[in-house]
Amino acid sequence: MNGAAASERSPLPLAQAPSPSPSPSPSPPLEWRFSQVFGERSAGEEVQDVDIISAIEFNKSGHHLATGDRGGRVVLFERTDAKDHACRKEAEKADYSISMHPEFRYKTEFQSHEPEFDYLKSLEIGEKINQIKWCQAANDALFLLSTNDKTIKFWKVQEKKVKKVSEMNLDHSTAPANGSPGGAGCPSASLSNGGVLKPGGLPLLRLPVVQVTSQETSLAASCRRVFTHAHDYHINSISNNSDGETFISADDLRINLWNLEISNQSFNIIDVKPTNMEDLTEVITSAEFHPTHCNTLAYSSSKGSIRLVDLRQSALCDTHSQIFEQHEAPGSRSFFTEIVASISDIKFTKDGRHILSRDYMTLKLWDVKMNSGPVATFQVHEYLRPKLCDLYENDSIFDKFECCQSGDGLRVATGSYSNIFRVFGCGAGSNEATTLEATRNPTRRQLQNPTGPARSLSSTLTRAVRRGAESTGIDANGNAYDLSTKLLHLAWHPTENLIACAAANSLYMYYA
């Protein structure tokens, strides 16, 4: 690990008081505007399953955006207004709240994963991209990790100059018809390049002169390493370490530590698999490294808890340094309590002081110095609580929504059904709650936002799959909702108020 990362290995202290809020006064709600859309389908066009976007990730600078889909493809976009925007930011003293219309363009795409078949286990392995993580760029090349259920790949994307022959002094008009130096039966003849072949002698050749120019550049994606054969269950998370050298991969029962330079060996650092699988009560649902402490990571479970782990404690981190969980009120348990309590995604905030978690019904913000409960709870679609039976019947209750936070830490966002996403203010005294639909003309929709906490899941290894219940209805405010259209994946630009979100095969961008 490098010196910069090693110097920040101080443990995270445990306290029972919330940390200071990031802002002394609430900021006004943002006015979101449509920016761009890629892959928008026309009216009546049927979306192919392989084209549905399954992963979104901005790189650290925000100049590039990567998406992955169920067909195993990775598509890269690059920002085109970066220079003008940088000049404006400099002139306006880099005020985070000031934003201009951002513009991205398609950069390149490549096939990251292909369908596979494990003959030893008689198991089909799909090509769907589960997650994408950007790595440190070097020498004008981009590096990223992509994973499906079993295999992680390390990619390098770099511009290469295409060399073309612009001029050659070879005269093809004097070339022999049959391809022999002097033609059939000709003892002495002129060569096509101006040399002379004498009977019984060596040819006197004049070598052609070729002029090569580099007029075009093309982007080439090359797979540098393949990390495989380390997970018995489906990989749900990958996360880069702040040391720039290692990363973790997590499945339902284990978390492995890898070195980016070594693909044939990994270290199992967390194992929750019981000796008897009948004793299994929870599974790992998400995992992420701390943004600055290279020895600290967090992982969530299907019981709604988040565990903080210090890698310096032992080689196998079977004990946690902290646990964050919220217990339900006595007598409030039901058949769906664990199902909706399952955490589908966790994210450290940029400064590492908070953890954002998404369960089925709510978005929660946790202070890493206070494990008595979340410092904020945001209701996402509380109007669905009376319909949990229907959601279970049509399998919607197992949908895994992602979450994200703005770079300044003042707002959080997550998706819901009917292709809507919600933005909440998490600064001191903020009551911002904006609901927008992924479309060219986003309209603010009103949704009730009760203050009562909600819960979340059951084991993904043992959950039942049922179909057939109604997928449409009316919410508490009279707005129609459609469970077949869902906004699961979204990402917030690291330095600006720009959100990229996926609605089926379409990538929408909004700025404020």
Side-chain angles (χ1 to χ4, degrees), residues 368-437:
V368 297
K369 297 180 181 180
M370 187 183 74
N371 61 359
S372 59
V375 295
T377 300
F378 310 97
Q379 305 292 346
V380 180
H381 41 221
E382 184 67 15
Y383 58 88
L384 292 178
R385 188 171 295 277
K387 308 179 187 302
L388 292 180
C389 287
D390 294 338
L391 296 169
Y392 180 80
E393 289 294 330
N394 62 24
D395 209 28
S396 295
I397 202 170
F398 300 104
D399 288 332
K400 299 182 181 301
F401 293 93
E402 295 179 359
C403 57
C404 60
Q405 186 177 38
S406 61
D408 59 3
L410 296 179
R411 294 171 179 86
V412 295
T414 190
S416 182
Y417 295 104
S418 301
N419 285 342
I420 66 172
F421 65 96
R422 306 204 67 190
V423 180
F424 301 95
C426 57
S430 175
N431 59 356
E432 179 179 354
T434 304
T435 301
L436 295 169
E437 184 178 358

Side-chain angles (χ1 to χ4, degrees), residues 16-38:
Q16 294 301 320
S19 60
S21 59
S23 175
S25 60
S27 55
L30 296 177
E31 290 294 332
W32 291 94
R33 302 176 181 87
F34 170 78
S35 177
Q36 285 176 284
V37 59
F38 295 93

Side-chain angles (χ1 to χ4, degrees), residues 481-495:
Y481 65 84
D482 182 4
L483 300 179
S484 64
T485 57
K486 58 196 74 173
L487 199 152
L488 301 176
H489 312 286
L490 75 171
W492 202 305
H493 191 280
T495 59

Side-chain angles (χ1 to χ4, degrees), residues 278-430:
E278 293 182 357
D279 298 329
L280 180 67
T281 59
E282 63 181 331
V283 296
I284 298 170
T285 58
S286 181
E288 183 169 87
F289 262 119
H290 190 279
T292 56
H293 294 72
C294 61
N295 58 279
T296 303
L297 64 89
Y299 70 93
S300 60
S301 80
S302 58
K303 280 195 171 181
S305 63
I306 302 172
R307 291 173 173 85
L308 210 61
V309 173
D310 191 338
L311 298 180
R312 300 169 299 182
Q313 291 182 346
S314 62
L316 182 62
C317 303
D318 50 359
T319 60
H320 52 269
S321 57
Q322 293 186 50
I323 183 170
F324 307 92
E325 56 187 354
Q326 186 176 27
H327 300 282
E328 67 277 355
S332 63
R333 286 188 60 87
S334 69
F335 175 79
F336 304 107
T337 297
E338 277 197 12
I339 300 178
V340 299
S342 174
I343 296 175
S344 57
D345 189 27
I346 60 171
K347 294 284 195 310
F348 274 102
T349 57
K350 192 174 182 179
D351 58 9
R353 294 168 54 190
H354 295 84
I355 299 175
L356 185 65
S357 68
R358 172 67 202 268
D359 56 45
Y360 186 71
M361 300 297 292
T362 67
L363 194 61
K364 292 185 176 72
L365 189 66
W366 306 80
D367 191 324
V368 297
K369 297 180 181 180
M370 187 183 74
N371 61 359
S372 59
V375 295
T377 300
F378 310 97
Q379 305 292 346
V380 180
H381 41 221
E382 184 67 15
Y383 58 88
L384 292 178
R385 188 171 295 277
K387 308 179 187 302
L388 292 180
C389 287
D390 294 338
L391 296 169
Y392 180 80
E393 289 294 330
N394 62 24
D395 209 28
S396 295
I397 202 170
F398 300 104
D399 288 332
K400 299 182 181 301
F401 293 93
E402 295 179 359
C403 57
C404 60
Q405 186 177 38
S406 61
D408 59 3
L410 296 179
R411 294 171 179 86
V412 295
T414 190
S416 182
Y417 295 104
S418 301
N419 285 342
I420 66 172
F421 65 96
R422 306 204 67 190
V423 180
F424 301 95
C426 57
S430 175

